[in-house]
């Protein structure tokens, strides 16, 4: 889907284990200003997200376990499974996202291009649809 990209995180593996590295500008397409992570999702039916961003760029990695990211560009939907620490999902602004199907003990880490700003969120789906229409 336009606006979403899978990025392969560099892996340096030796007998001591795996070391993954994402560096700007090679694997990380922006300079990171904020990191947050979602963990302890106790109910497998939990769905988070239900919003889009106007300006924010983000890269998501499921460091342990797995979860599904539902993406919506206003006309179609796509599901991306994040299930290994080498697989990162880069989301440009303007995509509706829902995070679901969190496995037990999963940790979703998110690298963001901007500080937290509630005014960057579109949390109403009808408003998102209108926003996408205006973008065309
Ligand atoms: C996103 C998906 C993948 C803050 O105060 N600072 C922060 O940096 C963040 C991310 C959230 N918050 C507050 C805002 C809410 O009162 O934490 C509360 C929970 O946030 P929210 O309901 O937006 O959480 P999710 O999991 O639905 O969405 C989050 C991010 O907010 C969002 O940017 O793309 O993860």
């Amino acid at each position: 889907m336009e606006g979403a990209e899978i990025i392969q995180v560099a892996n340096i593996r030796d007998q001591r284990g795996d070391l993954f590295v994402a560096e700007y500008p090679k694997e990380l397409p922006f300079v990171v200003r904020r990191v947050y992570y979602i963990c302890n999702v106790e109910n497998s039916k939990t769905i988070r997200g239900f919003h889009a961003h106007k300006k924010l760029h983000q890269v998501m990695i499921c460091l342990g376990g797995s979860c599904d990211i539902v993406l919506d560009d206003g006309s179609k939907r796509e599901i991306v499974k994040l299930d290994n620490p080498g697989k990162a999902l880069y989301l440009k602004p303007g995509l509706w996202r829902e995070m679901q199907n969190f496995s037990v003990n999963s940790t979703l880490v998110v690298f963001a291009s901007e500080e937290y700003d509630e005014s960057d969120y579109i949390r109403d789906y009808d408003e998102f649809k209108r926003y996408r229409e205006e973008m065309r």
Side-chain angles (χ1 to χ4, degrees), residues 86-126:
K87 182 179 181 181
L89 175 63
Y90 170 35
L91 294 186
K92 292 182 185 169
L95 287 178
W96 185 266
R97 79 284 315 266
E98 294 164 21
M99 300 92 78
Q100 64 185 28
N101 216 2
F102 288 89
S103 70
V104 177
N105 292 332
S106 56
T107 301
L108 179 67
V109 63
V110 183
F111 301 92
S113 63
E114 307 297 332
E115 288 151 36
Y116 175 71
D117 176 8
E118 186 57 38
S119 70
D120 188 64
Y121 285 72
I122 305 171
R123 291 192 185 268
D124 178 82
Y125 189 73
D126 291 334

Side-chain angles (χ1 to χ4, degrees), residues 5-124:
E5 231 173 82
I6 299 296
I7 295 173
Q8 204 56 46
V9 181
N11 182 10
I12 302 166
R13 173 179 289 187
D14 61 27
Q15 65 282 4
R16 298 169 298 170
D18 283 323
L19 186 153
F20 288 95
V21 56
E23 186 173 280
Y24 171 82
K26 272 193 289 179
E27 294 88 3
L28 276 179
F30 53 82
V31 173
V32 174
R33 300 190 75 134
R34 178 166 54 105
V35 177
Y36 60 90
Y37 34 93
I38 294 167
C39 50
N40 300 326
V41 179
E42 276 162 20
N43 186 333
S44 61
K45 292 194 169 44
T46 295
I47 308 181
R48 304 186 62 116
F50 296 102
H51 60 254
H53 284 284
K54 296 176 198 163
K55 294 204 178 118
L56 190 71
H57 292 248
Q58 300 200 100
V59 166
M60 306 177 174
I61 303 172
C62 200
L63 287 183
S66 64
C67 66
D68 292 340
I69 314 294
V70 180
L71 300 174
D72 183 328
D73 66 3
S75 45
K76 56 184 181 309
R77 289 197 151 211
E78 196 177 294
I79 298 181
V80 177
K81 181 169 273 304
L82 294 180
D83 56 2
N84 78 76
K87 182 179 181 181
L89 175 63
Y90 170 35
L91 294 186
K92 292 182 185 169
L95 287 178
W96 185 266
R97 79 284 315 266
E98 294 164 21
M99 300 92 78
Q100 64 185 28
N101 216 2
F102 288 89
S103 70
V104 177
N105 292 332
S106 56
T107 301
L108 179 67
V109 63
V110 183
F111 301 92
S113 63
E114 307 297 332
E115 288 151 36
Y116 175 71
D117 176 8
E118 186 57 38
S119 70
D120 188 64
Y121 285 72
I122 305 171
R123 291 192 185 268
D124 178 82

